[in-house]
Structure formats: C-alpha cells, structure tokens
Amino acid sequence: MARMGYGEEHEAFRRTVRTFLDREHEPYLKHYEAAGGLDREFWRKAGQAGLLGLAHTGGGDFTFYAIMSEELGRTPGTATTGSSLMADVATYILVNHGSDAQKDKYLAGILTGAWTQAMPLTEPSVGSDATAIATTALRDGDDYVINGEKYFISNGSGANLLYVVAKTDPSKGGRGMSVIIVEADTPGVSQAKIPMIGWRQGDTGALNFDNVRVPASNLLGVEGGAMKILMDTFLEDRIQIAARCLGAASRAFELTLDYVKERKVFGQRVIDFQNSQFVLAECRADIKITETMVDTAMIKLRNGEFTFEDGAILKLWATQMEGRVLDKCVQLFGGAGLMDDNPISRMWTAARIQRIYAGTDELQKVAIARGLMQ
C-alpha cells in the first residue's frame, strides 16, 4: 500500500537505499565489526549511489533523508554500526547557512563521500542544556582559536569535516554561541571513539580542541547565530530519528512474526497462543500509528507547519514505541532473543539509545509542557 505523502520519486529513492544497504552493508557486517566501524570505502560507495548531500541534490526535500533513515532502521546490521549515513543531515547546515565560498569548497566532496561530517555540540558535562557549553572560539586577528572538549558526538571519531559549536562571546551565554567549520586534520584536533553498549561498531566520538586555529572565514553564518542554526535542524532531526525507530520496529516485528510461526512450544506454534497474538496485535498497532505520525510530520514539514512541540511529541512517542516493540519481540523469541548472533538482540539493545541521544525523553516532555503553560 502506498504511503501517505510520498511520490514516485520518493519510492524510487527508497528502492535505491534498500538495494545499497542490502548490497554494501549487510554482507560486510563482519568486516565492519573487525575494522571497528564503517570505512571510507563505504562512504565512497554511498556517494556513488547518490545517497549523500541530499540537502543539495534533493532540492531540500527532507523526505529523502527520512526515507534513508527509515531504511537504515530496517537494516538489522545498523543496530551494530549506528546512525552512519544520517550524519549527512549536517549538509542542511552547510546548504542553509554556509557562505558561497564554503559551499564551493566542501559540497562536491560531501557528494562523493570525501568529506564526512559531524556537529560537535555535546560536552562531557553538558547534554541537553546546549547554552552551558564551555568550548570557546575566541577571535585572534584573522583567526578563531578554539579550546574545549566534545563528547557523545555522532560520527565524531571518523568525520573529517566538523561543525563545531563554541562560544565566541562567553559573556552572552546562548547568544554568544557560534558554529565554526573545522577540518579534522587541523593541528590541535584529536578524535577518539567511545565504546557503547548499543551501536557497538558505530561512530560515537570524543573530540578535543587544543588551541585549534582556523581562519575567521570558517564562521558558519554569523557570530552568535548557533542557536538559530541548531533550532533550524532540530525539527528535521526529530523526524529522521522517528523514521529510524519506525523502520527498526517494523523490521523487528517481521523477524518476530516469522519466528513465532515456525517455533513450537508444547506441540503448537508460538503464534497459536492467544497471548502471542495479542502481543503481536499491540506491536502492529504501535507501528501503524507511528507510520501515520511520521508521514503526517513530513507533510507538515513541507508545508511549513511542523512545530517544535510536534517534534517533541513525535520523538517521545516514536522512541518509546520502538522500545516497547523491541522488548515484546525479544520476549516472544525467548532465550534465542538474547543470543548475540541473533539480530533481534542487537536491535533491542540499540533501541535504548534512542530515548537518550539527541534530546532525552525528559527534555521532550519539558518542551511539550511549556506549551501547556502558556
């Protein structure tokens, strides 16, 4: 059945993403695990397949990113290798806020996978309250000098193009925050991978900036403009996360349905027990509700009607839904669902990340509650 709000070009792109992941990701999962994550060759192939720089090549239609995120969620191996291609959402920052010179310098390489991106914002002691960051980028003649630490950064250890959020005027708090482009091989930049219980071969990084000197022309947008840039990306980020949750829950449900139709207990299939049928019905309802929410969000985003509260509600619901569905799927698998070589076990573990990163459940509730108090 055709999804609401998707045209033929969107469905054609979905098939392209699915084909790429089936060909270039799943068969090489053991290789990526041994290598410690996705390599440059994967990014190069993604560029050849037309999966990078969609903010530029897709005419700014975020639907393409949502489709890619959903298909990543449907790929069991991404429970091990992490958000991967979704780091390319950072291209929206460059396209919407970068200067012509910055676009000329970086966009072509982004499209081929030569440049891979990350947005270092979170710090070791600063999570949801972005305005509390301590990293500084202080003007010194024609340069900015950056000092500070960043932590829990998606694509952080492997990215070679960094959009660093720092305070160019610490006295102004959030209004003194700016985004500075830093190439990762700049002297003073160090990157390291953070081991995680979910996305074990994913790229979650820690970065350190020790007197990193970059030209003032690397300022993205205007000084003090970081909060506007961040707010402009939050809405899209909420949708892509929800789409990934939808894809993961859908795939887990399919794997579980196949399993319970084959597995027998006390002489009958697991699916023949009424309890199993009720659990599966609950999962099916959760998934269909979330599908409608994601598709509606895409339509509202295109129409300029998707609000910050809408994004908070969507992320809160979708991430909790994924957790519920994956937990029920593991229960129906029984002991087999806890085996490390069973995809469902890794998908279950990875689902827990979604309720924490990119804004915790509690932060989404605060955003929703603020609207009620006006």
Side-chain angles (χ1 to χ4, degrees):
M1 182 181 297
R3 294 271 293 276
M4 177 176 62
Y6 295 81
E8 177 52 37
E9 70 277 13
H10 296 128
E11 295 306 328
F13 180 71
R14 187 185 298 276
R15 292 191 290 271
T16 297
V17 177
R18 183 76 267 138
T19 299
F20 174 80
L21 292 171
D22 287 345
R23 185 181 67 237
E24 303 295 347
H25 188 275
E26 292 303 285
Y28 299 103
L29 188 58
K30 294 296 183 183
H31 165 74
Y32 296 137
E33 290 177 353
L38 300 172
D39 53 26
R40 286 289 168 190
E41 183 66 9
F42 176 85
W43 287 95
R44 185 185 66 79
K45 290 179 179 179
Q48 290 178 340
L51 303 186
L52 301 179
L54 298 176
H56 177 62
T57 60
D61 183 357
F62 192 78
T63 309
F64 292 105
Y65 275 114
I67 290 169
M68 186 158 65
S69 188
E70 185 177 335
E71 292 305 313
L72 277 169
R74 288 187 60 85
T75 304
T78 65
T80 298
T81 59
S83 56
S84 61
L85 293 170
M86 294 320 300
D88 186 56
V89 173
T91 305
Y92 266 86
I93 299 171
L94 182 64
V95 169
N96 292 330
H97 301 279
S99 67
D100 289 341
Q102 290 166 348
K103 295 175 189 177
D104 289 343
K105 183 175 183 179
Y106 296 116
L107 268 178
I110 289 171
L111 296 180
T112 64
W115 290 113
T116 56
Q117 306 164 97
M119 188 171 185
L121 169 62
T122 304
E123 299 184 355
S125 59
V126 178
S128 299
D129 182 9
T131 62
I133 63 170
T135 299
T136 58
L138 303 180
R139 191 69 179 261
D140 182 23
D142 293 331
D143 296 333
Y144 284 106
V145 179
I146 305 173
N147 283 283
E149 295 180 85
K150 298 294 183 179
Y151 213 66
F152 298 128
I153 307 304
S154 297
N155 209 32
S157 70
N160 55 6
L161 186 61
L162 311 172
Y163 303 101
V164 181
V165 183
K167 286 184 175 174
T168 46
D169 187 345
S171 68
K172 293 183 178 179
R175 290 175 296 175
M177 293 164 52
S178 304
V179 180
I180 312 290
I181 296 176
V182 179
E183 296 178 15
D185 62 357
T186 305
V189 177
S190 61
Q191 299 166 277
K193 183 178 174 180
I194 302 172
M196 305 281 283
I197 61 168
W199 297 353
R200 287 184 298 182
Q201 301 306 328
D203 187 354
T204 302
L207 300 95
N208 186 71
F209 301 87
D210 183 11
N211 289 318
V212 175
R213 184 176 290 270
V214 298
S217 59
N218 283 25
L219 175 70
L220 196 70
V222 298
E223 275 203 5
M227 288 306 296
K228 181 183 187 310
I229 293 173
L230 293 174
M231 294 301 291
D232 285 349
T233 61
F234 279 161
L235 295 182
E236 288 86 352
D237 198 40
R238 299 294 182 255
I239 293 176
Q240 71 89 2
I241 291 170
R244 186 181 177 107
C245 292
L246 172 61
S250 298
R251 183 60 176 146
F253 178 79
E254 293 165 2
L255 292 172
T256 304
L257 190 59
D258 288 343
Y259 180 78
V260 296
K261 286 180 177 178
E262 296 294 330
R263 172 68 169 165
K264 290 187 176 181
V265 178
F266 299 118
Q268 60 180 330
R269 300 178 306 168
V270 173
I271 197 172
D272 293 327
F273 292 94
Q274 188 180 60
N275 178 71
S276 301
Q277 297 166 18
F278 284 0
V279 170
L280 291 167
E282 291 168 353
C283 292
R284 177 68 168 166
D286 261 349
I287 291 167
K288 295 302 292 184
I289 290 168
T290 308
E291 182 180 289
T292 300
M293 291 179 70
V294 169
D295 293 352
T296 300
M298 286 309 316
I299 294 172
K300 293 181 72 173
L301 183 68
R302 288 186 215 133
N303 294 337
E305 300 169 350
F306 191 69
T307 67
F308 193 78
E309 181 185 49
D310 290 335
I313 292 172
L314 180 62
K315 184 179 187 295
L316 180 65
W317 169 270
T319 57
Q320 291 189 351
M321 178 280 302
E322 183 190 9
R324 287 194 301 272
V325 170
L326 264 296
D327 197 67
K328 291 172 181 176
C329 288
V330 168
Q331 193 70 24
L332 287 172
F333 265 90
L338 300 176
M339 296 171 59
D340 192 53
D341 61 354
N342 189 332
I344 205 73
S345 70
R346 299 191 179 193
M347 295 176 75
W348 175 55
T349 305
R352 190 63 183 87
I353 297 172
Q354 307 280 34
R355 285 176 275 164
I356 295 175
Y357 97 119
T360 62
D361 281 4
E362 290 73 22
L363 188 62
Q364 309 314 313
K365 293 175 184 179
V366 167
I368 297 166
R370 281 176 179 167
L372 303 177
M373 298 171 67
Q374 294 177 356

